[in-house]
Structure formats: structure tokens, C-alpha cells
């Protein structure tokens, strides 16, 4: 069995703990490799090497660090197919979707090529007699990034790009289900000129994560994953005095107004609800048509589109729309939630539970499912299903639809389809969700903005990538400097204005 180790001090090393996690090929259901789970001693070795390397890296001027990012970006682009294949074989998503995974990570690296501008400080000359005041941004030191399974390349790149460009060293802990893309990215970063030790990939599970959270040298933790774990990590990191930003799960709604272009809305729901088997934190999992007529017309458009969806392994080529879910446990959980929806009285319009794909009978496939007449008390509404299941909650009015979203625990993304500018504007202003789409189903901000949800979708301050990430991965130091030529100032014991 192939074994995946760690990337420590610029080398791929085997794990020594004797503890492993299975890495599946979700399309076949077979274990294709096993990944080592780091011991505290391995984590210590990685942190020690990172702390040493960070000193020289922080002293490397920002423009030179940006050049490494530029080369890194070129290498990611040149190796797009190789990286996409690594993503697909461990995650199961289609190759075009896997290329998108790499591409949206690459775009964050592209913004990091402009790190010197992001890292500029502030300056006030003559703030008082002979006094100049300035503020500079300095790296934190050794920081950690902890990633989920659903974007094996993109989220590691979201974490490492800004942290490294700002002069930190990073301990990256990928999801143990999809470890290979992170190791491949670390090799490319080395080839791009990143000094050994500045990026360490430590594979592991809860034990490794707890080691990171308690490690006295690690200054900050950037986490992406499910809400209960985000909340746990935020609390433990903060209790240990670390800076933490922890992004969690989601339940994203799309309002469909009676004046919306319903064909466009239906197309958008198919892509946003079923793409990547619904395993996206920005997937739309709840459609909220306003008015019975809109709801009936929407369902009428969704059903034939859903029936046309092709589910299969990524190796089957471009006409596959989406692949398997990540594990057997995920597949079983999705099927159980669908059964609970039926039991609690929702109308299961399309049932994807019995999908079998010839030659891939043991793969973790879920056919697409569509529910109508879902109500907020049902488990399928309250839980993040994280599978190819779209729920429809019918609303009587725009106000009711908006209130439904406002009352939901999660606040990652949301969307409205309408032809009316006033309604769209009102929605964007009043909804308590971090990322809003207008006639746009998955409003993931481009990499020169920042990404983050509200409510139980994010814990801590500042968002991911873009300007916020440079703030998160740096601390500000302000300097008040006085030069005495021409200034007569006696000693004073008072706290006074600088004039
Ligand atoms: P997860 O929370 O199970 O795992 C995420 C990371 O936490 C992994 O690296 C894992 O090893 C680690 N982990 C798991 N259990 C842990 C524990 N008990 N203690 C400490 N560490 C633990 O999430 P997942 O299943 O890999 O990813 C899917 C989730 O991520 C979904 O909820 C999805 O919405 C969310 N997500 C959120 C965003 C966002 O930006 N808000 C982006 C992508 C995914």
C-alpha cells in the first residue's frame, strides 16, 4: 500500500507514528493509499524547522518574496493537469471542477504577487515638534493552516499564499482524506524558490490539530471546515492566546422572485446545488421561490434538468456532471437525512438514493435529490447535508423569504434572482449573510476581495485571502520617533498632546 508522509524541512518524509488514515478513491470505494498521522514529536520538528526558516524569510524583502509567489503561480499553472488529477483521484470531483479548484487557489497566489503593496505601512510626518509617527506590518512568525477535504488545492493555497507572502512560515495540516495535493504544492513552492522550512505539510487528525492548537510557538490558526470543529478550534486557539479565524459550514438559500428569469434561475440552482456533489460550502442547498405560482413553475423546470444530470467517476470524461461524495459515511448520512425528510413530511420530488453505476457499484455515489414543501423545523432544513440534495421552502412573500434567511443559524452565502433592482438592493442591504449574489448563485468573491461568512459560518475576525488575509497574518507596530534639532523641550511628567 502506498504511504503518504509529511513535507518537513523541504523533504518528503515518512511518518513515524505508526498511526495512519485510509485515503479512498471515492469512485471505486477502494483504499488507494494511507496517510501518516503526525506525532507530537513530528509536529515539534516541523515547528522548530519553520521557526528557524522564518527568520531569514521575514528578512527577505517583500518584492523578493513576491517573486517567489510569481514563480509559484507559473508552476501551478504549468502543472494544472497534474494537480487536478491529484484532486480528482482523492476527492472524486470531475476534472473540469478540479481544475477550477486549482485555478481559484492560483488566483489567490496571483494577488500575493502584489504583496509589497498589501504590506505597506502608514506614515505621518511632523506629528509633533520633530516627531514622526509610522506604523508597519510585521509577520506573526510561525502560523498554522488547517484545511477541509472539499477543496484539496484551493483552500491550502488560500491559507499558504497570504501567510507566506507576508513573511510567515506555515504549518499546513491538510484534510487526511485528500493529502496529496498539498504535498505536490509544497514541492512546487520549493521549486519556485521558497526556502526549505518556510512551508511544512504535517498530515494528521485531531491529535495533530490539538498539538497545533497547544503549541507555544505557533502564533495563529487559520481553519476551514465544519461548524462544530471551527467553534472548538476557535475556542481552544483563543484560550492559548493565539490569533484565530475559523470558517465553518453553511446552509445557503436562493430566493427566486416571481419576476425572475426562471430558466436562468433553474440553471443556476442545478449548478449551485449539485455541482461537486453539493460538497461546497457555497453550494445552494435551499431554494426559496416566492409565491405558489413561482414555486410550481420552478419545480417544473428543475425536474427535467435534474433527470438529465450524469453522475459518474471523473475518469468517464467531460459529460459527467458530478462525482461521488467523499466517504461511505458521508453517503450513508446523506441517505439517512433524505429518509428523515420523507418521514417528516417533505415532498421528495426526485429521489437519488438508489443510484448504482455499472462497474462502480462500491463507489460513494449519490444521485441528485429534490425536495419540495420543506419547512424550517425539519432536520433536512436545519442540518448542512453537504450532498446533492436541494430543498425547496415555499415563501408567501419576499419579506417571509428574507426573514427565513435572517433566522437561519448559518450566514455564509446567499443569492436572489429577480429583475427588480430595488428588491435586489434591499436584499443585499438587509440580509445578515457574508457573501451575497444578485442573479448569481455562488458569490465567491474574486481573490482581490476577501471571503467569509457571518453567524455560525465563521468565528473570529477578518476574512480569508485578499486584503483581510494580509491583516490577519501580520501585526502592526507603531513607532513614534523624535529628533531634537531646533527643539527645546524640558522634562515633563504629564501625558500630553504632541504640540
Ligand atoms: P471537518 O471539520 O470534518 O475537518 C476539517 C479539518 O479539521 C480537517 O483537517 C480535519 O482533520 C480536522 N478535524 C476534524 N475533526 C476534528 C476534531 N474533532 N478536532 C480537531 N480537528 C478536527 O470538515 P470537512 O468534512 O473536511 O469539510 C467540510 C466542511 O467544511 C463543511 O461543513 C463545509 O461547509 C466546510 N467548509 C467551509 C468553508 C468556508 O470557507 N466557510 C470552505 C470549505 C468547506
Amino acid at each position: 500500500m502506498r504511504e503518504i508522509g509529511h513535507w518537513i524541512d523541504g523533504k518528503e518524509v515518512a511518518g513515524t507514528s505508526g498511526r495512519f488514515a485510509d485515503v479512498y478513491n471515492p469512485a471505486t470505494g477502494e483504499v488507494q493509499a494511507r496517510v501518516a498521522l503526525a506525532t507530537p514529536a513530528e509536529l515539534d520538528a516541523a515547528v522548530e524547522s519553520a521557526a528557524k526558516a522564518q527568520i531569514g524569510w521575514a528578512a527577505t524583502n517583500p518584492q523578493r518574496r513576491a517573486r517567489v509567489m510569481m514563480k509559484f503561480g507559473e508552476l501551478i499553472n504549468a502543472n494544472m493537469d497534474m494537480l487536478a488529477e491529484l484532486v480528482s483521484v482523492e476527492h472524486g470531483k470531475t476534472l473540469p471542477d478540479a481544475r477550477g479548484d486549482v485555478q481559484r487557489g492560483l488566483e489567490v497566489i496571483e494577488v500575493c504577487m502584489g504583496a509589497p503593496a498589501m504590506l505597506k505601512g502608514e506614515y505621518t510626518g511632523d506629528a509633533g515638534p520633530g516627531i514622526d509617527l509610522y506604523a508597519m506590518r510585521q509577520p506573526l512568525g510561525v502560523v498554522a493552516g488547517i484545511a477541509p477535504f472539499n477543496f484539496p488545492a484551493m483552500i491550502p493555497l488560500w491559507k499558504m499564499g497570504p501567510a507566506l507572502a507576508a513573511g510567515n512560515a506555515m504549518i499546513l495540516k491538510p484534510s487526511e482524506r485528500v493529502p496529496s495535493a498539498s504535498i505536490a504544492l509544497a514541492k512546487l513552492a520549493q521549486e519556485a524558490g521558497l526556502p526549505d522550512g518556510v512551508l511544512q505539510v504535517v498530515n494528521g487528525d485531531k491529535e495533530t490539530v490539538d498539538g497545533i492548537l497547544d503549541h507555544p510557538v505557533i502564533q495563529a490558526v487559520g481553519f476551514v471546515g465544519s461548524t462544530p470543529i471551527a467553534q472548538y478550534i476557535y475556542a481552544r486557539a483563543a484560550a492559548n492566546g493565539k490569533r484565530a479565524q475559523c470558517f465553518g459550514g453553511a446552509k445557503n438559500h436562493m430566493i427566486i422572485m416571481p419576476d425572475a428569469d426562471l430558466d436562468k434561475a433553474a440553471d443556476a440552482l442545478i449548478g449551485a446545488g449539485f455541482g461537486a456533489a453539493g460538497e461546497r460550502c457555497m453550494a445552494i442547498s435551499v431554494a426559496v421561490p416566492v409565491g405558489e405560482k413561482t414555486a410550481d413553475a420552478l419545480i417544473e423546470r428543475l425536474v427535467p434538468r435534474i433527470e438529465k444530470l450524469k453522475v459518474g467517476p471523473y475518469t468517464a470524461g467531460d459529460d459527467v456532471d458530478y462525482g461521488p461524495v467523499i466517504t461511505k459515511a458521508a453517503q450513508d448520512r446523506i441517505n439517512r437525512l433524505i429518509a428523515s425528510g420523507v418521514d417528516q413530511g417533505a415532498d421528495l420530488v426526485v429521489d437519488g438514493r438508489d443510484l448504482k453505476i455499472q462497474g462502480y457499484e462500491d463507489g460513494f455515489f449519490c444521485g441528485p435529490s429534490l425536495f419540495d414543501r420543506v419547512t424550517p423545523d425539519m432536520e433536512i432544513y436545519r442540518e448542512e447535508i453537504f450532498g446533492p440534495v436541494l430543498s425547496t421552502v415555499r415563501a408567501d412573500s419576499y419579506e417571509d423569504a428574507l426573514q427565513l434567511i435572517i433566522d437561519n443559524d448559518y450566514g455564509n452565502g446567499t443569492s436572489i434572482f429577480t429583475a427588480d433592482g430595488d428588491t435586489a438592493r434591499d436584499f443585499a442591504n438587509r440580509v445578515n449573510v457574508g457573501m451575497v449574489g444578485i442573479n448569481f448563485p455562488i458569490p465567491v468573491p474574486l481573490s482581490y476581495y476577501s471571503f467569509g461568512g457571518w453567524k455560525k459560518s465563521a468565528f473570529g475576525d477578518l476574512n480569508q485571502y485578499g486584503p483581510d488575509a494580509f491583516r490577519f497574518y501580520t501585526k502592526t507596530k507603531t513607532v513614534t520617533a523624535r529628533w531634537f534639532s531646533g527643539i527645546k523641550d524640558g522634562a515633563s511628567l504629564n501625558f500630553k498632546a504632541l504640540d
Side-chain angles (χ1 to χ4, degrees):
M1 173 78 49
R2 185 166 64 91
E3 274 179 20
I4 301 165
H6 314 287
W7 179 263
I8 294 180
D9 206 18
K11 285 177 287 297
E12 209 166 352
V13 298
T16 59
S17 66
R19 292 195 313 124
F20 294 91
D22 289 336
V23 178
Y24 286 87
N25 177 340
T28 61
E30 284 161 3
V31 177
Q32 56 176 318
R34 52 182 205 161
V35 60
L37 304 173
T39 59
E42 286 166 313
L43 175 65
D44 275 348
V47 174
E48 200 182 313
S49 153
K52 273 196 206 124
Q54 193 266 338
I55 296 167
W57 180 239
T60 304
N61 77 51
Q63 197 134 15
R64 285 184 192 279
R65 294 200 303 258
R67 277 186 207 131
V68 172
M69 289 292 139
M70 206 173 292
K71 183 78 190 149
F72 186 33
E74 280 168 25
L75 288 169
I76 292 171
N77 208 17
N79 288 279
M80 180 71 79
D81 289 344
M82 175 275 284
L83 291 166
E85 177 84 29
L86 283 181
V87 167
S88 288
V89 73
E90 289 182 357
H91 176 282
K93 61 177 78 176
T94 65
L95 277 173
D97 202 36
R99 277 188 212 105
D101 186 325
V102 181
Q103 175 64 30
R104 292 305 292 258
L106 168 60
E107 287 168 15
V108 167
I109 301 300
E110 285 167 353
V111 166
C112 293
M113 297 173 192
M118 298 280 200
L119 295 168
K120 279 196 302 195
E122 295 169 344
Y123 182 84
T124 304
D126 290 325
I131 295 175
D132 301 326
L133 189 57
Y134 57 97
M136 51 188 164
R137 294 199 163 279
Q138 295 194 324
L140 304 178
V142 180
V143 299
I146 302 170
F149 79 82
N150 66 326
F151 283 99
M154 181 182 84
I155 290 179
L157 286 167
W158 285 7
K159 298 286 131 200
M160 69 173 86
L164 301 181
N168 300 284
M170 171 163 271
I171 307 293
L172 175 68
K173 211 267 332 142
S175 164
E176 60 274 41
R177 308 196 192 293
V178 292
S180 295
S182 288
I183 299 225
L185 288 168
K187 286 182 189 165
L188 294 180
Q190 181 184 56
E191 198 182 330
L194 190 75
D196 289 350
V198 173
L199 175 63
Q200 316 267 357
V201 181
V202 179
N203 280 309
D205 56 359
K206 176 174 167 54
E207 194 180 319
T208 317
V209 171
D210 287 347
I212 289 173
L213 298 176
D214 295 343
H215 204 292
V217 174
I218 295 176
Q219 300 296 311
V221 180
F223 170 86
V224 184
S226 59
T227 288
I229 309 298
Q231 214 161 356
Y232 162 74
I233 288 185
Y234 181 64
R236 187 152 170 174
N240 286 326
K242 297 186 198 315
R243 193 177 280 201
Q245 54 171 202
C246 301
F247 299 91
K251 196 81 184 172
N252 305 315
H253 299 58
M254 183 168 121
I255 297 182
I256 302 95
M257 294 298 292
D259 63 3
D261 179 329
L262 289 185
D263 286 309
K264 294 254 179 349
D267 287 341
L269 279 170
I270 297 295
F274 300 106
E279 290 177 325
R280 291 182 182 138
C281 69
M282 289 291 275
I284 295 286
S285 50
V286 186
V288 192
V290 172
E292 290 293 320
K293 249 175 80 181
T294 314
D296 292 343
L298 182 72
I299 297 283
E300 203 175 280
R301 283 165 173 77
L302 285 172
V303 172
R305 285 168 167 82
I306 291 174
E307 283 169 349
K308 268 196 223 132
L309 287 175
K310 291 215 179 82
V311 185
Y314 77 94
T315 43
D318 281 357
D319 47 306
V320 167
D321 291 303
Y322 73 81
V325 297
I326 189 71
T327 54
K328 178 90 177 78
Q331 185 191 37
D332 290 346
R333 178 176 172 275
I334 292 163
N335 288 338
R336 186 193 65 71
L337 281 165
I338 294 173
S340 92
V342 173
D343 290 349
Q344 294 182 353
D347 185 359
L348 183 57
V349 183
V350 182
D351 184 351
R353 282 176 292 182
D354 285 331
L355 178 78
K356 280 275 171 256
I357 295 173
Q358 220 188 346
Y360 293 89
E361 287 77 6
D362 294 329
F364 311 138
F365 292 98
C366 291
S369 293
L370 174 67
F371 275 110
D372 193 5
R373 301 187 189 280
V374 174
T375 52
D377 53 311
M378 294 178 181
E379 197 184 1
I380 48 168
Y381 180 78
R382 285 184 280 107
E383 287 283 314
E384 180 186 38
I385 300 177
F386 223 54
V389 182
L390 180 64
S391 298
T392 310
V393 179
R394 294 177 175 228
D396 290 338
S397 65
Y398 163 70
E399 286 297 330
D400 286 354
L402 175 62
Q403 197 58 45
L404 180 77
I405 302 175
I406 289 173
D407 291 343
N408 193 271
D409 278 351
Y410 293 104
N412 216 36
T414 189
S415 171
I416 188 165
F417 269 61
T418 179
D420 184 71
D422 272 341
T423 309
R425 185 169 184 274
D426 183 79
F427 179 67
N429 285 340
R430 286 169 63 200
V431 76
N432 56 356
V433 170
M435 293 170 282
V436 179
I438 297 173
N439 295 320
F440 198 88
I442 306 192
V444 174
L446 288 174
S447 52
Y448 42 95
Y449 284 78
S450 297
F451 177 111
W454 289 13
K455 299 186 276 183
K456 289 198 173 160
S457 294
F459 303 88
D461 195 12
L462 297 171
N463 286 339
Q464 314 189 67
Y465 67 74
D468 269 13
F470 283 91
R471 291 184 197 112
F472 181 75
Y473 288 116
T474 54
K475 54 196 169 191
T476 307
K477 184 184 279 174
T478 52
V479 179
T480 307
R482 178 165 61 173
W483 299 98
F484 294 107
S485 55
I487 293 165
K488 292 192 188 73
D489 200 3
S492 168
L493 272 66
N494 296 328
F495 199 67
K496 58 182 188 127
L498 297 181
D499 54 14

